[in-house]
Amino acid sequence: MKSQSYDSMKSSFDLNRRDFLRIGGAFGIGLLLGNTSAWAQENQKVAPPAKIKTNIDDALKTFTTGRSLPGPFPGRVVEVCDQKAMANDRPVPEVVRTMFEKGVRQLTGKNLKKSFGMFFEKGDVVGIKVNPVGAGLINTRLEVVDATIEWLTKNGIKPDNIVIWDRYDFMLKEAGFTSERYPGVGIVGLQTMGETEEESGQSEGGSKAEGEGQGRTQGESTSEGKNEGASSWLDKNGNHVSAGNFDMDVYYWADVEGPKDKAYLNQHVFNGKYSYFGKLLTQRLTKIVNIPVFKNSGNGISMATKNLGYGSICNTNRLHNPLFFDVCTEVLAFPVIRTKLVLNITDGLRAQYDGGPMPVAEFAYPMSTLFFATDPFALDMTCHRLMVEKRKSMQVKVNEHPIFTDYFRYAERLGLGIADPEKIEHVRI
Amino acid sequence: MRRPPLLNSVAVLFVFLLSSADVVSGAKAGPAFPRDNYVAGWVRSERTLRFERSNLFDYIDGGAELFLEFGFDVLLVQRYKESNAKGDDEIALEIYQMESAEAALGIYLTKCGKETPVGGIKERNSGDRYQFSIVKGDCFIQVNNFGGDGKLMPVMLKLTQRTLASIPKGPPVTLLSRLPEKDFISGSGLIFRGPYALQSIFTFGSGDVLQLRGNVFGVTGDYAGPEGGVYTRLLILYPEPKAALSAFENLSNNLDPYLEVVSRLENGFTFRDYRDKFGTVELKNDVMEIKINLPEKPETTER
């Protein structure tokens, strides 16, 4: 794979931006419009946001075990495609199982049994991180999880030492990850979320009826804690009922506050500057298998590193704007992820090339592909490039600015994975 | 998209009368949801959900910023199921009420991609058996059938038609007509109102470098260039020349480091981007006109 280097550009021009401004770039316009430059100088300027401080140094101080990102196969990405994997937009279990076996074999160079031994021991507690967003349309397919669980149990992991997990409990249920579907296997949402407002309103013809909604009425939202039932997500001490699911001793800190409003707390458990890791990860799981979905997030992607970067901690919404995708790198640098994440399988059976991360059917399509890697950054860089190709082929506007892939290069500088396409071994089978 | 869990606690239902107090407070009559049996056997399966700016993230797990940026007001969600059916087919109706018809069209254009209109819907729409997207007045509507069963298309259509009947048409949106017609590539027009929507088009700098501030609309479209090439034009429509000048100066001071100014124009500048393509920024009274993806450095009058 070839890539263009995006190191800082060296000016090859006689006139750079600073010179342009110094000699009065705006002055000329001031003449054009009348003498308004003075007004403009008084007007508050929007300065670019400063680099936000985080506790990434704490993560990097920690001794790294032999099993640590990027794993035994840095830079290796295996892509397995089988057009028979989907029939009527539904996965075909036996084809998915075969693809799974091919992918693992190609990644490790060993059969499933020997591959198991490279990643796991029989006493491990394995967490399978899925992405349940967009249930029915673009969530992690149950058939991929089935193949993973089959591999684990056949090689000695007990079902009760397997946990399918995500940030939100209700999303898991919506996507079909239930104890009925997976008897004996743990299903864990790091947190719950209180019920949102319900109201009565207007139905056709203007009559009132319970459960019929109308816009712009002024109801109170239970997420704002204003009525009985609203406090369903609050315990008697006024804390979120899921607060105990997060480990106050293991956290990602960033110098940006979460909003104080109740709606934010309902969704994020804590505000402030700390994003705590789930106790499931810090205290129970010994290994993690990451199964994200092949989908975009604006001009970036929401795949392997985002599935864990934003899925393992609470109080995340405050991080989107100031830290952008860097969270996906920095959270994975913490030992709780770095030393436990052993395998990533990006589910591209049914993918989405635009409108993500939320489900938009217009852009969902059968890709019939699974990707395998121990190195989530090489995997994401590869998938990012494939996503760009797909978006271009569908005449979607693509902004290829390096800012959307900088976090991969950041990860490479931290030793967490390979980002340089020249060094990535992308194998297609 | 979230479906809140059913909780054991007894929830309180609020009944709101559409009174003159609502009018005084600025509330407008909104859309009405179709009743049970709008198609024989199809009934509401859950209570209506309502989301406002403060808790839109509860429903949209990622991507809510775009709605907020365009001017989001209220989201109402109603799910329908077939009574006595053994399957778990479900249709979800989502009505996003935006601040204005411009905002609704902006979101629609961002979400719909290449439009594939569904027969039987008069309003501007795009859809398939999984999802309909429609814009009418200040509402952006989605009808979701994520199970994807094509047999439900007539049910989705009826639900859509009934819902649209309760939504006022609203004023025509003329924003896109600001784009020059010559060489314009049909279907490429988009609206933006802040950095999130702008992200998909181009990166001019960090943050709100164009000072859109969530209340300045811009429009963009693709144009046929020489020798089969395509370039993109953006027009940012500031409320007054001073605001446009302030934004221009802010852009000049904080231009993205991957963009290199190569020449100064009488009322702007030309830049080269990291792909060796060129662009121009020109101030024209209260409008900032930007062209990007130009294959060659444009021949302009330099200062």
Side-chain angles (χ1 to χ4, degrees), chain B residues 240-251:
Chain B
E240 56 180 355
K242 284 181 181 179
L245 176 61
S246 172
F248 174 84
E249 292 194 339
N250 190 64
L251 174 65

Side-chain angles (χ1 to χ4, degrees), chain A residues 148-207:
Chain A
T148 306
I149 290 175
E150 186 178 299
W151 178 45
L152 296 174
T153 53
K154 270 189 176 176
N155 288 283
I157 304 273
K158 294 175 182 169
D160 59 4
N161 278 342
I162 298 170
V163 180
I164 298 168
W165 67 279
D166 180 56
R167 173 91 176 266
Y168 296 107
D169 52 7
F170 68 90
M171 285 193 184
L172 287 167
K173 186 179 176 186
E174 270 197 351
F177 296 108
T178 62
S179 50
E180 292 78 18
R181 177 65 172 73
Y182 292 96
V185 170
I187 311 290
V188 176
L190 296 186
Q191 68 167 100
T192 192
M193 191 158 68
E195 200 168 35
T196 307
E197 174 180 354
E198 52 190 322
E199 63 173 27
S200 291
Q202 182 149 316
S203 65
E204 291 173 318
S207 64

Side-chain angles (χ1 to χ4, degrees), chain A residues 51-63:
Chain A
K51 172 79 174 161
I52 300 292
K53 286 182 185 171
T54 70
N55 66 332
I56 181 64
D57 289 346
D58 292 347
L60 300 175
K61 279 178 198 165
T62 313
F63 175 74

Side-chain angles (χ1 to χ4, degrees), chain A residues 343-384:
Chain A
L343 182 62
N344 303 274
I345 305 164
T346 297
D347 177 355
L349 293 177
R350 187 165 176 80
Q352 185 174 305
Y353 62 85
D354 199 16
M358 61 190 287
V360 183
E362 179 87 20
F363 307 117
Y365 68 107
M367 189 185 186
S368 305
T369 303
L370 297 175
F371 298 85
F372 298 78
T374 62
D375 177 347
F377 294 98
L379 174 60
D380 267 6
M381 177 56 106
T382 302
C383 289
H384 179 95

Side-chain angles (χ1 to χ4, degrees), chain A residues 289-305:
Chain A
V289 176
N290 182 25
I291 313 184
V293 174
F294 190 99
K295 63 177 178 178
N296 79 303
S297 178
N299 279 283
I301 57 170
S302 181
M303 299 192 205
T305 58

Side-chain angles (χ1 to χ4, degrees), chain A residues 251-316:
Chain A
Y251 52 81
Y252 176 61
W253 178 90
D255 193 14
V256 52
E257 291 268 4
K260 303 290 187 218
D261 59 87
K262 292 276 189 177
Y264 184 88
L265 273 176
N266 178 22
Q267 194 189 3
H268 291 279
V269 185
F270 298 96
N271 49 23
K273 296 184 178 182
Y274 290 82
S275 289
Y276 304 106
F277 284 88
K279 280 182 182 172
L280 174 72
L281 286 81
T282 64
Q283 299 180 11
R284 185 158 181 230
L285 301 182
T286 57
K287 299 284 164 57
I288 297 169
V289 176
N290 182 25
I291 313 184
V293 174
F294 190 99
K295 63 177 178 178
N296 79 303
S297 178
N299 279 283
I301 57 170
S302 181
M303 299 192 205
T305 58
K306 195 158 183 272
N307 198 40
L308 285 169
Y310 278 88
S312 306
I313 54 176
C314 62
N315 192 14
T316 50

Side-chain angles (χ1 to χ4, degrees), chain B residues 3 5 7 33 43 75 83 90 103 110 123 127 136 140 144 161 197 223 235 237 272 281 285 294 302:
Chain B
R3 178 200 307 246
L7 302 175
F33 292 116
V43 298
L75 164 62
S83 57
E90 183 178 64
T110 301
E123 288 73 17
K136 185 177 182 185
F140 169 65
N144 301 326
Q161 291 167 333
Y223 286 79
L235 300 179
L237 314 167
R272 188 175 69 172
V281 178
N285 199 17
L294 298 165
E302 296 183 16

